[in-house]
Amino acid sequence: MNSDSSSARALSVAITGSGGSGAVTAGLILLEAAARAGCYGLLTRSSGPQIRGGESAAMVRFGGQPLGCMGDRFDLLVGLDWLNVNRFADEIPLDGEGVILFDPGVGAVPPALAGSGARQVPLPLKEQAAAIDGGRLNMVALGAVGAICGLPREALAAGVERVLADKGGSVLEASLACVAAGYALAPEPFVALPAPGGGTEGRWNIGGNEACGVGALRGGVRFVAAYPITPASEMLEWLAPRLEQVGGSLLQAEDELASVNMIIGASFGGVPSLTATSGPGLSLMLEGLGLAVASEIPAVVVNVMRGGPSTGIPTKSEQSDLNIALHGMHGDAPHLVLAPLSIRDCVFTTQWAVELAEHLQTVALVLSDQSLGQSRVITEAPVRTPAPLARRVEEEPEEDYRRYALTADGVSPMTLPGVPGGIYTADGLEHNERGTPSSQAADHQAQLDKRLRKLEGFDYGPAWAELHGAGPLAIVTWGSTAGAVLEAAGRLEAGGTPVRIIALRLLAPLRRAALAEALAGAERVWVVEQNHGAQLFRYLHAEQALPAGARSLARPGPLPLRPGEIVAAVTATA
C-alpha cells in the first residue's frame, strides 16, 4: 500500500456503513488519534440524499503537512457493512495498491469495490465485538485501522476518550476494550505512520461550520435568527449555547423570510447580526436583503452551498450559488460577496465579512459549502483580522442630522433607536439624505452612487485573495476548490512547471486592478471551480478581468475536484 505521492506520505482511509453503524464516529476518533500522534488531518463525510439516517461514509486523510483536500485515491477502505455502499463507490477511488478491510460475516465485497483490485483483508470484527459486553463492530474496526496505519494505541485511546466523553462510563469502557481488541487483531502494519509535522501545540480540531461560528463571534455577532437547513444547521447548533455565553442569543425563526427580517431588525437596533442558510433559503431571503442594502443596515448571511437547483442534492457539495449571490437581488443593490478558502479560513473570512458589513453598513454574503461546512481539520490556529472594523454610530446628532448624507467615502454615520434628534425613516423606499421617501431622479441617482461608492472606494488591503507562487501558468480559483488547486500546483511544480495561484476571497466588489496585477505576465490562465456553468469564469469575463485565451475547468458536484484531475487538465493543453 502506497501513500499519496502528492502530499508527502499522506494516508487516506474511508469507513462506510449503514445508519447507526458508527462510521462517522469512528472517523472522528481516527482524526483525533492522528492529531494526538502529531499529524495534520482532514475528515470529510458523505451520506445519502435523505439527510438524516441511512448510510454514511467518513473519509479521513492524515499526514505530516496541512491538508486542504482529499487525494486522488484511498489507501484503506473499511466496510462496517455493505448496505448501499455502491452509492459511495465513486467517492472512494481504490486501486490495486489499496486495501479493503471487512468482516466476512457482512458478506462478500461488492463487485463495485472488488473490481478495483484492492487487496481484501477479512477479519472477525463482529466476533471480537460480541465477546465484549456492549462491544461494537465499528470500535473493533477502528482499532484494526489504527494498527494497520501505525497509529500508537495510546493515541487511539485518547481519541476515544475525547470523542465519546459524553457517552458515559460503560460505553467508554466497552469502546476502549473494542479498540484494544481490534488493535491486536490486525495482521501487520501496512505502512509507517507519516512523519509528524512539527510541534502540535496550539493546533485546532475544528469543523467548517464551527469555524464560521467562531468568526462570527470574533466579528462581534450577538444575534442570530435562522431556519434549519442542510448543510448549514450545525453552525446554528454550535452557536446557540456559545452566543448565550457572550450575552447574545439565537432564535429559530418560522422560515427564512422571518429570519432575515429579524436580523435586519436587530442590526437596526445596533446589534451585529447574522443568519445561516443554503441555496433554497438564500433565494427566499433576497427581498429582505435588498431592504438592508437600500436602508444601509448591516446584515451577514453565511450560505453553505450544496448541489442545486431547488432541493438538488442537499448532502453533497457544489459551488453553484455564485450567480445568485452576485446577481440575485433586484435593482442595483451593491453588496459584498466573500468565500472562505479552507476550513481554517472560515474563521477569518466570516469575521472579516461581519466587520466589513458593519463598517460599510451593507449586506455581506459568505459562500461556504458542504465540503467545508461538514468537514473537520487538524490545523494551526486561525488568524484574526489585522485591524478590526466597526460601525460608525452618531451618538449626538446635530439638529440637521442626515442619516444618508452624501459623504466622500459613501459611509454616513447612523443613529440607533432612541437617540434624541436621531429619528429617521429606514425602509426600502428610495430616499433623500434625511431618509424621507423620494421618487425624484436626483435623489435616486445620488443614493445609488453613494451605496456603490462606499464599496468600490474602500481599501480592502491584501486580504482580497491568497496569492501563491509565480510563473507563466496562473490558476484562478475560489472557495473550497482552493485546497485541491494548491495540491495540484505542488505536483506541477515538482514536475518542473511553476504555478501562480490566485484564490479569490473577496468576489464582490471585484478587485480588478489587483487581479490584473496578479495575472500580469501570465501566459496561460485557468479558472477552476466546482459548478456546471463556469460561473466564476463567466463572471470574470463579464468584468473583463481575464486575458484572452483563458480556459475554464468547471465541473459540478457531487464528486469533489481532485488534484490529479486539475493536473491532467492543465498538462493536457500545455
Side-chain angles (χ1 to χ4, degrees):
M1 184 166 59
N2 293 332
S3 61
D4 194 306
S5 59
S6 67
S7 190
R9 295 184 48 73
L11 292 178
S12 296
V13 178
I15 305 171
T16 69
S18 55
S21 64
V24 173
T25 299
L28 290 170
I29 296 173
L30 183 62
L31 180 71
E32 179 65 23
R36 301 290 177 126
C39 293
Y40 293 93
L42 173 67
L43 178 146
T44 64
R45 70 189 203 199
S46 182
S47 58
Q50 64 273 38
I51 300 178
R52 293 290 183 185
E55 67 282 1
S56 61
M59 291 157 273
V60 183
R61 191 178 185 214
F62 54 94
Q65 300 177 3
L67 298 166
C69 66
M70 284 291 151
D72 296 328
R73 54 178 293 279
F74 280 80
D75 299 286
L76 174 62
L77 167 65
V78 184
L80 302 180
D81 59 54
W82 300 127
L83 300 175
N84 295 315
V85 72
N86 289 341
R87 294 182 179 180
F88 302 117
D90 288 344
E91 297 179 57
I92 307 172
L94 294 166
D95 57 26
E97 297 184 347
V99 171
I100 300 174
L101 177 66
F102 68 106
D103 187 305
V106 305
V109 176
L113 301 175
S116 66
R119 175 183 171 185
Q120 298 183 21
V121 179
L123 291 176
L125 305 174
K126 293 177 66 176
E127 179 182 326
Q128 290 292 320
I132 297 171
D133 186 22
R136 289 175 59 88
L137 185 150
N138 67 328
M139 291 295 103
V140 178
L142 175 65
V145 169
I148 289 173
C149 295
L151 285 168
R153 196 167 68 180
E154 298 76 17
L156 281 171
V160 171
E161 292 173 350
R162 166 77 181 273
V163 175
L164 301 181
D166 61 347
K167 295 294 185 182
S170 60
V171 173
L172 194 58
E173 184 178 344
S175 298
L176 290 170
C178 286
V179 168
Y183 205 89
L185 193 64
E188 62 188 77
F190 286 83
V191 293
L193 183 71
T200 61
E201 186 175 355
R203 287 184 191 169
W204 288 26
N205 179 339
I206 190 169
N209 281 331
E210 296 173 0
C212 286
V214 172
L217 294 180
R218 284 186 174 182
V221 167
R222 293 298 180 266
F223 178 72
V224 172
Y227 185 73
I229 186 170
T230 299
S233 298
E234 292 152 342
M235 181 179 170
L236 310 174
E237 294 164 0
W238 187 89
L239 273 170
R242 290 164 178 83
L243 272 167
E244 290 187 1
Q245 293 172 5
V246 296
S249 61
L250 182 146
L251 189 150
Q252 179 175 325
E254 62 266 38
D255 56 32
E256 285 86 353
L257 285 78
S259 61
V260 73
N261 286 314
M262 286 178 179
I263 69 164
I264 292 170
S267 183
F268 175 69
V271 181
S273 302
L274 172 149
T275 187
T277 190
S278 192
L282 178 62
S283 63
L284 295 173
M285 294 178 179
L286 292 176
E287 182 180 0
L289 293 175
L291 165 64
V293 170
S295 56
E296 302 195 50
I297 297 174
V300 179
V301 180
V302 177
N303 184 63
V304 188
M305 294 180 289
R306 63 192 204 184
S310 188
T311 42
I313 312 177
T315 57
K316 309 289 186 182
S317 199
E318 199 169 68
Q319 294 178 300
S320 51
D321 289 347
L322 178 59
N323 280 346
I324 191 174
L326 291 170
H327 311 297
M329 280 186 254
H330 59 274
D332 292 303
H335 59 281
L336 302 163
V337 180
L338 304 96
L341 304 172
S342 66
I343 294 174
R344 179 173 181 255
D345 191 51
C346 285
V347 177
F348 176 89
T349 297
T350 307
Q351 179 182 359
W352 196 39
V354 173
E355 293 177 352
L356 288 174
E358 287 288 313
H359 184 73
L360 297 173
Q361 301 174 26
T362 191
V363 168
L365 302 181
V366 179
L367 296 181
S368 177
D369 59 32
Q370 186 273 338
S371 69
L372 290 177
Q374 295 193 316
S375 298
R376 299 192 69 84
V377 69
I378 306 298
T379 183
E380 306 296 346
V383 299
R384 293 178 180 269
T385 55
L389 302 167
R391 190 185 311 190
R392 294 186 202 172
V393 176
E394 183 59 74
E395 297 179 349
E396 297 180 356
E398 298 179 352
E399 184 176 350
D400 190 31
Y401 172 65
R402 301 186 180 201
R403 165 65 183 96
Y404 300 107
L406 301 177
T407 58
D409 64 2
V411 179
S412 47
M414 63 186 296
T415 57
L416 301 181
V419 174
I423 296 175
Y424 67 97
T425 300
D427 64 18
L429 291 172
E430 190 55 281
H431 44 256
N432 61 22
E433 291 185 74
R434 287 189 171 83
T436 305
S438 171
S439 60
Q440 296 184 26
D443 288 330
H444 188 45
Q445 180 73 50
Q447 295 298 322
L448 286 173
D449 290 344
K450 172 187 188 299
R451 293 193 286 265
L452 181 62
R453 181 167 68 248
K454 66 180 180 180
L455 299 188
E456 294 282 0
F458 183 72
D459 181 4
Y460 296 90
W464 67 279
E466 293 286 340
L467 307 178
H468 303 270
L473 170 62
I475 301 179
V476 182
T477 190
W478 68 287
S480 62
T481 305
V485 169
L486 276 169
E487 188 161 320
R491 297 186 196 180
L492 290 165
E493 289 170 351
T497 303
V499 183
R500 73 177 83 172
I501 298 172
I502 302 138
L504 299 174
R505 180 183 288 115
L506 180 63
L507 295 158
L510 185 66
R511 300 292 82 193
R512 296 181 190 82
L515 179 57
E517 183 179 350
L519 288 173
E523 298 172 3
R524 292 191 295 147
V525 176
W526 280 83
V527 179
V528 178
E529 57 191 313
Q530 190 193 24
N531 58 64
H532 188 261
Q535 295 182 17
L536 177 65
F537 181 76
R538 294 176 186 274
Y539 169 55
L540 296 179
H541 256 309
E543 295 285 335
Q544 299 182 328
L546 290 176
R551 291 174 175 268
S552 168
L553 172 57
R555 182 177 56 68
L559 295 179
L561 279 170
R562 299 186 186 279
E565 184 179 359
I566 298 169
V567 171
V570 172
T571 55
T573 58

